[in-house]
């Protein structure tokens, strides 16, 4: 059955020639080949301020540049979040974007006793991360600590699940064969919309 997929391209470089962009393109191509609907959000092309207070987070107006992005998240049944690992976690621009997107009233509401009601239930996600170190080192030695916050405390907090991860390590050292294999893997994931 066709699914509605929104790809959130979180690489902060606007140039668009990074491995993250190629991985997102491959996922989108596979999804479209299989008959899924795809929308894309290029975070690096959006203009928005960082949230600086609880008041802004809870009641501030959503910047105009983010209205369409928020609608793409609302529309989606499956989200794909693609970014490079910087200092063990997502780049600051992407984290600022997610803070703007996952605000009260859109992603969750406050329930009784301060416990959240998860508004984005019924959606799944895949987090795709590129990194310089071997992926198994990040996953096992560092326990993928920087991704846990995104997976559990952001996406999971608002009801998105299941959340799967694809980690691509040693990207600077990877040759053409490895890159082609990664792109094919993303194309297949896109076809299956997982």
């Amino acid at each position: 059955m066709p699914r509605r997929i929104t790809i959130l391209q979180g690489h902060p470089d606007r140039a668009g020639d990074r491995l993250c962009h190629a991985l997102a393109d491959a996922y989108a191509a596979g999804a479209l080949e299989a008959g899924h609907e795809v929308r894309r959000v290029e975070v690096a092309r959006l203009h928005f301020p960082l949230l600086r207070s609880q008041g802004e987070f809870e009641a501030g107006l959503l910047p105009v540049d983010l209205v369409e992005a928020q609608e793409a998240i609302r529309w989606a049944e499956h989200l794909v979040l693609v970014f490079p690992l910087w200092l063990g976690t997502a780049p600051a621009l992407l984290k600022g974007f997610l803070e703007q997107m996952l605000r009260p009233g859109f992603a969750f509401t406050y329930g009784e006793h301060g416990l959240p009601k998860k508004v984005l239930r019924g959606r799944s996600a895949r987090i795709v991360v590129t990194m310089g170190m071997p992926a198994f080192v990040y996953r096992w030695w560092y326990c993928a600590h920087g991704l846990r916050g995104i997976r559990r405390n952001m996406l999971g907090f608002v009801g998105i699940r299941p959340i799967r991860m694809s980690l691509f390590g040693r990207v600077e050292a990877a040759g053409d064969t490895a890159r082609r294999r990664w792109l094919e893997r993303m194309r297949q994931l896109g076809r299956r919309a997982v």
Side-chain angles (χ1 to χ4, degrees), residues 20 23 81-85 127-131 147 166-169:
C20 285
L23 293 169
L81 182 57
V82 185
F83 60 90
L85 191 73
I127 299 172
V128 179
V129 183
T130 62
M131 62 190 72
L147 301 185
S166 296
L167 306 180
F168 298 97

Side-chain angles (χ1 to χ4, degrees), residues 32-194:
L32 292 169
E33 288 167 7
H36 303 294
E37 296 179 69
V38 177
R39 292 186 184 177
R40 293 183 68 155
V41 175
E42 298 285 336
V43 176
R45 300 196 179 279
L46 302 173
H47 300 283
F48 57 89
L50 296 177
L51 294 172
R52 296 180 179 269
S53 70
Q54 183 176 353
E56 285 181 7
F57 179 68
E58 292 180 345
L61 294 176
L62 185 69
V64 174
D65 261 20
L66 299 183
V67 171
E68 193 173 315
Q70 199 173 67
E71 179 51 38
I73 292 171
R74 180 182 287 117
W75 168 86
E77 296 169 300
H78 182 65
L79 299 170
V80 180
L81 182 57
V82 185
F83 60 90
L85 191 73
W86 284 12
L87 295 175
T89 192
L93 183 68
L94 178 60
K95 178 114 176 3
F97 170 80
L98 291 172
E99 288 174 357
Q100 285 278 9
M101 291 292 99
L102 304 179
R103 289 162 64 174
F106 172 74
F108 71 97
T109 58
Y110 293 108
E112 289 184 46
H113 310 295
L115 298 174
K117 291 184 180 179
K118 301 174 180 196
V119 175
L120 296 181
R121 285 185 191 273
R123 289 163 182 80
S124 57
R126 175 164 297 277
I127 299 172
V128 179
V129 183
T130 62
M131 62 190 72
M133 74 175 79
F136 76 88
V137 171
Y138 183 68
R139 190 183 296 269
W140 300 111
W141 181 257
Y142 292 100
C143 300
H145 180 73
L147 301 185
R148 282 185 181 184
I150 293 169
R151 184 178 188 181
R152 183 186 61 208
N153 301 342
M154 294 180 121
L155 301 180
F157 180 78
V158 299
I160 298 170
R161 58 180 263 205
I163 302 166
R164 298 172 179 93
M165 295 195 304
S166 296
L167 306 180
F168 298 97
R170 294 186 45 86
V171 296
E172 290 87 6
D176 290 340
T177 302
R179 288 175 183 256
R180 279 194 300 273
R181 189 173 63 246
W182 295 343
L183 294 174
E184 181 56 29
R185 180 175 170 203
M186 290 301 293
R187 181 181 294 272
Q188 292 305 318
L189 291 171
R191 291 186 65 77
R192 296 181 6 237
V194 294

